[in-house]
Amino acid sequence: MSDTTAVEGEIDYAEVMRRLPHRYPFLLVDKAEDFVPATSIVGIKNVTHNEPFFPGHFPIDPVMPGVLIVEAMAQTGALLMSKTLDVAVADKVIMFMSIDGVRFRKPARPGDQLRMEVKVIRARGDAYKFRGETFIDGKLAAEAEFMAMVVTVPTPAPGPAA
């Protein structure tokens, strides 16, 4: 029997799927914890040997591409924004705007768990600036500052009648 009681500040995989438009193989957040509206969140990504990028990056010594670690931090920030602003993914999307000061300290490999600690530096309406740090086994693996904003998805024009 499973416990369906939600823990305050936690976001399970089902809610991640409702709040982010990304899907396999590009959804890079499994769950989140320590969510504080408009302030901070911790995203979790379990890196497995089944990730689609490992056969080519690199077959003998698999390493998660650094850009995907940054994308995982950005998705964590988007999750914070989505829940804080209660963004409806049916007609809105949170877009990555900029990134600064990226540093990679430790490679991510199969079996690692990324713990992405994202804090809001500034928020103005639908635009947020974040500071993100990703940890593996308590050690800093990557860091960056980045911005994102909520954008309305254009409604497609109706097609010709059949």
Side-chain angles (χ1 to χ4, degrees):
M1 184 173 201
S2 67
D3 180 11
T4 58
T5 307
V7 176
E8 187 69 28
E10 290 192 5
I11 301 171
D12 65 11
Y13 186 72
E15 186 172 359
V16 170
M17 295 285 288
R18 283 192 310 272
R19 295 201 169 274
L20 296 180
H22 308 81
R23 295 295 177 262
Y24 178 84
F26 212 67
L27 179 60
L28 299 172
V29 179
D30 295 326
K31 65 179 182 174
E33 54 195 34
D34 300 333
F35 168 74
V36 179
T39 304
S40 63
I41 192 170
V42 176
I44 304 294
K45 164 67 177 155
N46 295 306
V47 181
T48 72
H49 70 280
N50 294 324
E51 305 289 350
F53 44 80
F54 282 141
H57 199 269
F58 302 100
I60 308 249
D61 185 22
V63 174
M64 183 175 183
V67 296
L68 294 181
I69 295 172
V70 172
E71 175 64 25
M73 283 190 281
Q75 288 181 20
T76 300
L79 188 58
L80 182 149
M81 288 177 71
S82 173
K83 192 163 174 85
T84 297
L85 301 172
D86 198 24
V87 173
V89 294
D91 61 349
K92 306 239 185 225
V93 68
I94 297 169
M95 301 291 286
F96 201 9
M97 292 174 52
S98 70
I99 187 158
D100 292 302
V102 179
R103 299 284 183 268
F104 300 105
R105 311 281 184 201
K106 177 179 177 26
R109 301 181 185 282
D112 287 340
Q113 183 179 76
L114 305 182
R115 182 177 173 85
M116 297 154 300
E117 299 181 4
V118 175
K119 294 181 171 94
V120 175
I121 295 173
R122 182 174 53 250
R124 285 199 185 117
D126 286 348
Y128 278 55
K129 183 171 185 179
F130 301 99
R131 167 123 181 106
E133 294 180 326
T134 297
F135 294 88
I136 300 171
D137 294 328
K139 293 187 172 115
L140 185 62
E143 59 188 312
E145 288 189 2
F146 51 96
M147 290 184 67
M149 76 180 298
V150 179
V151 176
T152 301
V153 176
T155 306

